[in-house]
Amino acid sequence: MNNKIGNKLSETFEFNRTSFLSKMELHPLFEEFKPFVSEINIENLTLQFHSEIDINITEWWTNKEKKVDLESKIFAILFTHRDLCAKEPEAYVYGINETRTPLKLQLEPYHLDSHDYADGYYAMPGITLGFCKELHKLDWTSLKNTDYEDVDWYELDGRLELFNTYKFAIKLALHNALKKLMSQNRFSKINSINPLHFLIQEYDEQVYPLLFME
């Protein structure tokens, strides 16, 4: 299943990047993103995420001094990020210990039913998303008093492919990093059920399966 997840994330990332880069006559606001999209490096991003998570597992996720409930069984580790146009976007980590319905063992994204988090397992450091910093050019604070201030870029051609490229770069690199950390037995101190689900979502959207640890 994990290999299938990785393959699907890779295919979706490459499809969106290729689609965006091949678009002709994009609005100038989007055209300037082509060099940045071309330079997204999944291998480097994987190394960054691996390093950050490796530190955060010890410093936060399993640290009693942070008042984390290490006795509570964790069903899933959920990475959640907000708008990627934010000045300093990052994905926080939540430890799910209760769900109204069972989590789904599948490739496709789904809506997470009613759930709760273990004490202390709330908005902990996960990964930083500095490689998305160029998207801040689209934030209204950046467009204010420019030639593009009144442009409704949400309706422009290429918007979906541009953001999907960044979103699936995050998912793919995070999948790769988590898979490596799992092989290094770095999640052994997490008191989890079998399988432990690793999920990601944009705030209040569907969750995407990243990895299942059995």
Side-chain angles (χ1 to χ4, degrees):
M1 179 67 83
N2 287 329
N3 288 336
K4 290 181 179 179
I5 290 175
N7 290 338
K8 184 173 182 179
L9 293 176
S10 180
E11 290 170 3
T12 307
F13 165 70
E14 291 296 348
F15 173 80
N16 280 281
R17 174 154 70 172
T18 300
S19 297
F20 179 76
L21 294 176
S22 65
K23 283 185 175 292
M24 307 298 291
E25 300 181 357
L26 283 173
H27 187 282
L29 189 58
F30 280 176
E31 185 68 32
E32 64 182 84
F33 282 97
K34 283 189 174 180
F36 303 115
V37 168
S38 298
E39 293 171 3
I40 293 176
N41 187 305
I42 298 298
E43 183 176 349
N44 289 343
L45 200 56
T46 297
L47 291 174
Q48 176 202 321
F49 290 170
H50 177 278
S51 177
E52 291 181 341
I53 294 171
D54 193 36
I55 292 171
N56 289 332
I57 289 171
T58 301
E59 295 297 321
W60 291 89
W61 304 10
T62 61
N63 188 349
K64 288 184 178 180
E65 294 183 2
K66 301 298 183 182
K67 298 182 179 179
V68 178
D69 180 7
L70 301 181
E71 300 303 316
S72 184
K73 288 284 188 180
I74 302 299
F75 295 3
I77 300 293
L78 173 65
F79 291 81
T80 298
H81 67 82
R82 292 183 180 269
D83 186 3
L84 295 182
C85 293
K87 190 173 184 179
E88 296 180 353
E90 58 185 303
Y92 294 101
V93 159
Y94 299 78
I96 297 175
N97 69 338
E98 289 186 26
T99 57
R100 190 171 70 180
T101 58
L103 297 171
K104 299 179 181 180
L105 197 67
Q106 64 182 47
L107 296 175
E108 296 76 19
Y110 60 93
H111 286 287
L112 193 60
D113 208 339
S114 178
H115 58 281
D116 289 314
Y117 307 122
D119 290 343
Y121 248 113
Y122 189 88
M124 292 189 296
I127 52 173
T128 58
L129 303 175
F131 86 106
C132 298
K133 64 183 179 180
E134 300 302 333
L135 292 175
H136 188 59
K137 297 175 184 288
L138 298 175
D139 187 80
W140 72 271
T141 59
S142 300
L143 295 175
K144 189 176 182 180
N145 299 323
T146 72
D147 293 340
Y148 304 132
E149 182 175 9
D150 297 322
V151 172
D152 184 7
W153 58 260
Y154 197 85
E155 299 297 328
L156 294 178
D157 181 40
R159 188 268 306 173
L160 186 62
E161 292 83 358
L162 172 62
F163 278 86
N164 275 345
T165 299
Y166 278 92
K167 289 177 183 179
F168 279 93
I170 295 169
K171 293 177 177 67
L172 175 57
L174 188 50
H175 164 85
N176 293 341
L178 292 170
K179 192 172 183 179
K180 183 176 181 180
L181 287 161
M182 182 175 69
S183 71
Q184 296 169 334
N185 203 32
R186 288 294 288 122
F187 302 119
S188 61
K189 291 185 179 180
I190 297 176
N191 186 14
S192 62
I193 65 165
N194 187 9
L196 175 63
H197 295 237
F198 288 89
L199 309 168
I200 188 170
Q201 71 172 171
E202 187 168 4
Y203 186 70
D204 274 350
E205 299 291 334
Q206 289 182 310
V207 296
Y208 279 78
L210 290 172
L211 193 78
F212 302 112
M213 190 178 80
E214 300 183 84

